[in-house]
Amino acid sequence: MKLTINEHVEMLQVPGIRQFSNKLIHFPDAVNLTIGQPDFSTPEAVKLAGIKAIENNQTGYSHNAGLLELRQAVSSFFNWKYGFSYEAENEIVITNGASEGIDSVFRTILSPGDEVILPTPLYLGYEPIINICGAKVVYLDTTDTEFRPSPERLESLITSKTKAILFNFPSNPTGVTIEKERMNELVAVLEKYQLFIISDEIYSENTFSGEHVSFAQYEVLRNRLFLIHGLSKSHSMTGWRIGYVLGPANFMETVLKVHLYNSVCASVPSQHAGIVALNECRHTPTEMNVEYMKRRDFVYDRLRGMGLDVVKPNGAFYIFPSIKKYGIDSFSFATKLLEEGGVAAVPGSAFTEYGEGYLRISYAYAMPVLEKGMDRLEKFLQRL
């Protein structure tokens, strides 16, 4: 018998983000604006907590759901910041980054033939997991509604096969947030249907003006809502791999089973560091946001000055200008920009077909890097 692999896995491709960041090895002098990784150091108190955990030999397994003290810190943080509560004992699971949390939730709720609605353009890490589960993605186009999902369009896509809808706001790749009025309208639709809501709010602490509104603040959704979060973006801890899933106890019991068979538990030294991040460094995101806003404003003004149409982002650290007027597909545009302009950015097509005609630029880089990148981009556009 011929050896085969999972047909859904066989179809996986290297994400567009990594395709372009990997190209940089051949262009050592290029300005890299591809990766969404904070360029700030992890807070000193957090680093010391991780070191101390290692020195004290706190390097074994934890409870599969994570250290109770960390789960309590997660619960306390959300209560302090947003006014809602989750029980540390049975409604929170610590995962190896938010990505593993998303994987565990999808594998908990999806069966072959189910449909999942994804507002697009969207982060490219969701659809492959959905496909591996044998489920189908249904796109909710937001390109003509300033990248915010239309409640009416959402409702038109819901069918008897719809198992879940996933939201990611502030958004990767657009940086757009959803204001409370639009949230209320979306919730009015969602409460009419029995489907799961997965809210990836990993960038919530990187909201620049106004308050982030969480789907978890709507009690009517809480019995079927999974909130995905973590410390990668808020505390510049991407490599520490601490994420968490918050949800109703009856479903989280199964999420925990999927998680434990996948990875047993999250890194214990990282968990100890996470306790300090959530308890003692709550204002770290605000401090970073001051710099992010300066970078955002600089890049936005420069792009507008180049004649590019762009929606001003209110969160995360991405901006998503339109390049449609140049009549070049986004992959070719990004390739030419790298090879001829010396700037690496991500083609919008990496974020589903609805991202075609756009370019994602990360401004999670220091100002000198952004200045050089914008200067090169401007010269490149002048030559097109």
Side-chain angles (χ1 to χ4, degrees):
M1 183 179 71
K2 180 181 178 181
L3 295 177
T4 61
I5 60 175
N6 184 322
E7 62 181 296
H8 300 298
V9 175
E10 195 170 23
M11 295 173 64
L12 293 179
Q13 298 181 3
V14 177
I17 296 174
R18 294 297 173 181
Q19 286 184 35
F20 274 84
S21 63
N22 292 343
K23 284 176 180 282
L24 286 166
I25 191 172
H26 303 296
F27 300 92
D29 296 324
V31 177
N32 181 13
L33 302 179
T34 63
I35 301 297
Q37 176 167 262
D39 69 335
F40 299 96
S41 298
T42 301
E44 287 300 315
V46 175
K47 291 191 285 188
L48 290 173
I51 293 169
K52 183 178 178 181
I54 294 171
E55 291 178 341
N56 291 341
N57 294 314
Q58 293 171 317
T59 55
Y61 295 130
S62 72
H63 188 287
N64 297 122
L67 295 169
L68 179 58
E69 187 178 357
L70 177 54
R71 285 180 278 148
Q72 290 169 335
V74 171
S75 178
S76 174
F77 174 82
F78 282 105
N79 196 349
W80 167 76
K81 183 71 183 284
Y82 299 107
F84 56 77
S85 297
Y86 281 87
E87 295 296 328
E89 291 78 8
N90 57 10
E91 293 186 320
I92 299 173
V93 172
I94 308 301
T95 58
N96 287 282
S99 295
E100 194 246 310
I102 293 165
D103 177 69
S104 294
V105 168
F106 275 140
R107 289 199 287 144
T108 295
I109 67 173
L110 294 181
S111 299
D114 287 341
E115 293 181 352
V116 180
I117 298 174
L118 299 181
T120 58
L122 190 68
Y123 170 63
L124 42 84
Y126 306 119
E127 185 169 355
I129 302 172
I130 295 168
N131 291 337
I132 288 173
C133 293
K136 176 186 176 184
V137 167
V138 176
Y139 294 132
L140 169 57
D141 182 11
T142 68
T143 55
D144 59 351
T145 54
E146 294 189 318
F147 302 123
R148 295 169 179 85
S150 159
E152 295 78 16
R153 191 171 293 168
L154 166 61
E155 188 161 23
S156 72
L157 296 176
I158 297 174
T159 72
S160 59
K161 294 183 179 180
T162 304
K163 176 62 74 71
I165 177 168
L166 181 143
F167 295 98
N168 168 225
F169 292 94
S171 162
N172 177 7
T174 68
V176 164
T177 56
I178 304 181
E179 70 283 0
K180 190 170 181 61
E181 182 180 356
R182 177 61 58 88
M183 287 283 284
N184 291 342
E185 295 170 350
L186 291 169
V187 171
V189 172
L190 294 170
E191 67 177 320
K192 293 191 293 184
Y193 299 92
Q194 282 302 303
L195 49 84
F196 287 108
I197 299 100
I198 303 161
S199 188
D200 180 358
E201 301 180 26
I202 190 70
Y203 294 101
S204 67
E205 305 315 297
N206 302 114
T207 299
F208 303 142
S209 63
E211 292 292 328
H212 170 74
V213 183
S214 172
F215 279 99
Q217 290 170 282
Y218 293 85
E219 189 63 35
V220 69
L221 302 181
R222 286 284 294 273
N223 66 341
R224 50 204 171 88
L225 170 74
F226 296 101
L227 174 60
I228 309 292
H229 215 291
L231 295 173
S232 290
K233 315 300 183 180
S234 63
H235 289 76
S236 195
M237 295 177 64
T238 52
W240 295 78
R241 308 313 299 139
I242 292 295
Y244 20 91
V245 181
L246 298 82
N250 57 321
F251 294 123
M252 290 302 293
E253 180 180 4
T254 308
V255 172
L256 175 59
K257 293 177 186 176
V258 175
H259 159 71
L260 73 87
Y261 283 119
N262 183 3
S263 57
V264 180
C265 67
S267 162
V268 171
S270 294
Q271 290 191 56
H272 283 283
I275 293 168
V276 172
L278 289 166
N279 287 342
E280 301 179 21
C281 303
R282 289 180 173 179
H283 296 289
T284 293
T286 302
E287 296 167 0
M288 291 194 295
N289 286 346
V290 172
E291 184 63 27
Y292 283 141
M293 284 188 281
K294 293 178 183 177
R295 299 174 183 181
R296 184 268 316 262
D297 292 344
F298 169 76
V299 173
Y300 175 76
D301 290 342
R302 287 295 303 272
L303 293 175
R304 293 278 291 176
M306 297 175 205
L308 296 177
D309 293 328
V310 60
V311 175
K312 190 173 186 177
N314 189 43
F317 27 71
Y318 309 109
I319 194 164
F320 206 56
S322 171
I323 55 170
K324 294 179 181 179
K325 70 179 186 178
Y326 294 101
I328 306 172
D329 69 88
S330 62
F331 191 91
S332 298
F333 185 98
T335 300
K336 286 173 66 70
L337 176 60
L338 175 60
E339 295 177 351
E340 301 174 16
V343 178
V346 184
S349 58
F351 304 96
T352 76
E353 63 194 74
Y354 294 93
E356 182 54 72
Y358 296 88
L359 192 71
R360 194 194 78 169
I361 294 171
S362 169
Y363 53 88
Y365 295 90
M367 282 296 292
V369 177
L370 297 175
E371 290 168 356
K372 182 184 290 187
M374 291 302 101
D375 288 344
R376 290 186 178 184
L377 175 60
E378 186 170 19
K379 291 177 180 177
F380 172 78
L381 294 179
Q382 291 171 349
R383 296 196 300 267
L384 276 183

